[in-house]
Amino acid sequence: MPEVLAYATDDKSCQFHKTTITRREPGATEVFFEVKYAGICHSDIHTAREEWGPVTFPLVPGHELAGIVTQVGSEVTKFAVGDKVGVGCFVDSCGECEFCQQGQEQFCTSTEKPVVMTYASTGRDGLPTAGGYSQGITVEQDYVCRIPDEIPFEAAAPLLCAGITTYSPLKRWGAGPGKKVAVVGMGGLGHMGVQIAAAMGAEVSVISQTMSKEADGKKFGAMHYYATSEEGTLDKLRGTFDMVLSTISADYDVDALLGTLKVGGALVNVGAPEKPVDVAVFSLIVGNKIFAGSNIGGIAETQEMLDFCAEHGIAPQVEIIGGEDITEAYDKVVASKVRYRYVIDTSTF
Ligand code: NAP
Ligand code: ZN
């Protein structure tokens, strides 16, 4: 059984320490890959701080993994030793239900073989799953994506969550030429949303809390940049956008954002704050507005997103950190101080 170094927290105070975990030998259709880089998603923080409910500790988070295959099972056909691969938020599902068949494995409805999240979940072996803050992982080949050579490897990991979580709703809700799209919150997800929406051909605006990231927003492809710290910003934007993508990780004023939509426009929420948000029905009724959600994306669409990013020269802007820096990085993410995703280099373990 492969033993690997990892970083875990023993409770919701999120003081990370080095540990050793055991991975299973790859089965016939599984691959083992050395995790080289792991992104820190704000969802890791919500989970480990138990903002979404209780979890089992010790916890090894991480659902943005980039690595290199070092072992393949006897029936693996999709990958070979040496391949650059990535894994996102889930590592298994039934493969047979309506949603698995549609390539939306994240919505697997099976009760016998339910979706297995990369961490804080129960694996098929009945053991708690452990995520990407580790030097290696065993995964069923159907839940692994290929990382194109055009994408800088040390920056690829965040695409496996931040990339797909923004690509999927932008595509579904028609971001493209002639469409005005606002991305709200320019953190890990937001800075990918800006790049992807711009590459799809939309006219992109950023709505941030401050103007401090304006130059970066424009570099990522935004044509306009607004800050809610400036009085009256959302009032001035009334009736402007076809689509607003909210990546805000905290409570926010949904009605004010709905007001920035054109008639028939959609506010798509991907941020997952701890507490429920309020919405006034009149904000929806007047103007036939849509308030929608979106949850990551399936495996085929994740591969499509990776290929799209390679083709368009898009990549996350990352700050590489070591294992010892994870504890502090959590506070910096919550304080919006990351530019724009922390990626853990597992060779520092
Ligand atoms: P992040 O890097 O911390 O970015 C969140 C951004 O939200 C911040 O950069 C900040 O942008 C803005 N923000 C933070 N606090 C705010 C507040 N009080 N009011 C207004 N804006 C605020 O986090 P992330 O990794 O991108 O994740 C964003 C959210 O999406 C998290 O809640 C995460 O759990 C969720 N998520 C959901 C899915 C899904 O499938 N739906 C997948 C992944 C993540 P500015 O500094 O520009 O204001
Ligand atoms: Zn995530």
Side-chain angles (χ1 to χ4, degrees), residues 41 43 63-64 89 161:
C41 177
S43 299
H63 59 212
E64 294 182 337
C89 294
C161 176

Side-chain angles (χ1 to χ4, degrees), residues 49 319 327-338 342:
R49 291 187 172 180
E319 294 187 56
T327 299
E328 191 190 352
Y330 270 38
D331 292 328
K332 286 186 177 165
V333 171
V334 173
S336 296
K337 285 187 179 152
V338 56
Y342 287 120

Side-chain angles (χ1 to χ4, degrees), residues 63-334:
H63 59 212
E64 294 182 337
L65 290 67
I68 295 184
V69 175
T70 55
Q71 227 182 310
V72 294
S74 57
E75 289 167 29
V76 167
T77 51
K78 297 182 176 172
F79 299 99
V81 169
D83 284 353
K84 284 192 272 182
V85 294
V87 157
C89 294
F90 56 91
V91 288
D92 210 348
S93 68
C94 82
E96 285 159 16
C97 73
E98 179 185 357
F99 298 103
C100 283
Q101 289 289 317
Q102 286 172 12
Q104 299 202 80
E105 301 90 346
Q106 72 273 33
F107 302 127
C108 175
T109 53
S110 170
T111 47
E112 273 153 39
K113 284 184 75 186
V115 67
V116 176
M117 306 311 285
T118 308
Y119 66 87
S121 193
T122 303
R124 290 281 177 267
D125 48 14
L127 299 171
T129 55
Y133 303 0
S134 67
Q135 288 184 330
I137 190 169
T138 306
V139 184
E140 171 62 40
Q141 65 171 347
D142 289 344
Y143 298 83
V144 177
C145 294
R146 186 174 297 281
I147 296 177
D149 286 332
E150 293 83 351
I151 299 172
F153 193 41
E154 67 285 356
L159 294 173
L160 278 300
C161 176
I164 183 60
T165 302
T166 49
Y167 178 88
S168 181
L170 285 166
K171 187 179 169 198
R172 173 165 176 219
W173 291 96
K179 292 292 168 67
K180 291 187 177 175
V181 173
V183 175
V184 192
M186 202 172 76
L189 266 57
H191 94 292
M192 284 315 305
V194 173
Q195 294 186 69
I196 291 168
M200 288 175 170
E203 181 181 325
V204 183
S205 298
V206 173
I207 302 176
S208 173
Q209 294 171 98
T210 71
M211 292 304 288
S212 64
K213 296 181 269 189
E214 181 181 13
D216 285 344
K218 295 203 166 153
K219 182 184 79 183
F220 295 141
M223 199 168 283
H224 318 282
Y225 193 102
Y226 306 100
T228 49
S229 58
E230 308 210 327
E231 182 117 4
T233 295
L234 296 185
D235 287 337
K236 282 183 211 141
L237 291 171
R238 281 194 81 78
T240 304
F241 303 111
D242 297 285
M243 174 185 179
V244 173
L245 180 67
S246 173
T247 73
I248 300 174
S249 51
D251 189 16
Y252 69 98
D253 186 345
V254 179
D255 298 311
L257 280 185
L258 285 167
T260 68
L261 289 172
K262 287 183 186 169
V263 169
L267 165 57
V268 185
N269 182 99
V270 290
E274 178 178 4
K275 300 205 174 72
V277 293
D278 287 326
V279 56
V281 288
F282 280 98
S283 303
L284 294 167
I285 293 172
V286 178
N288 290 6
K289 309 276 175 75
I290 299 155
F291 184 35
S294 191
N295 185 22
I296 46 175
I299 297 298
E301 194 174 34
T302 303
Q303 188 63 57
E304 178 186 306
M305 173 277 309
L306 287 163
D307 296 340
F308 177 92
C309 290
E311 190 186 326
H312 291 269
I314 295 172
Q317 181 173 320
V318 303
E319 294 187 56
I320 306 282
I321 61 169
E324 293 295 332
D325 306 319
I326 300 171
T327 299
E328 191 190 352
Y330 270 38
D331 292 328
K332 286 186 177 165
V333 171
V334 173

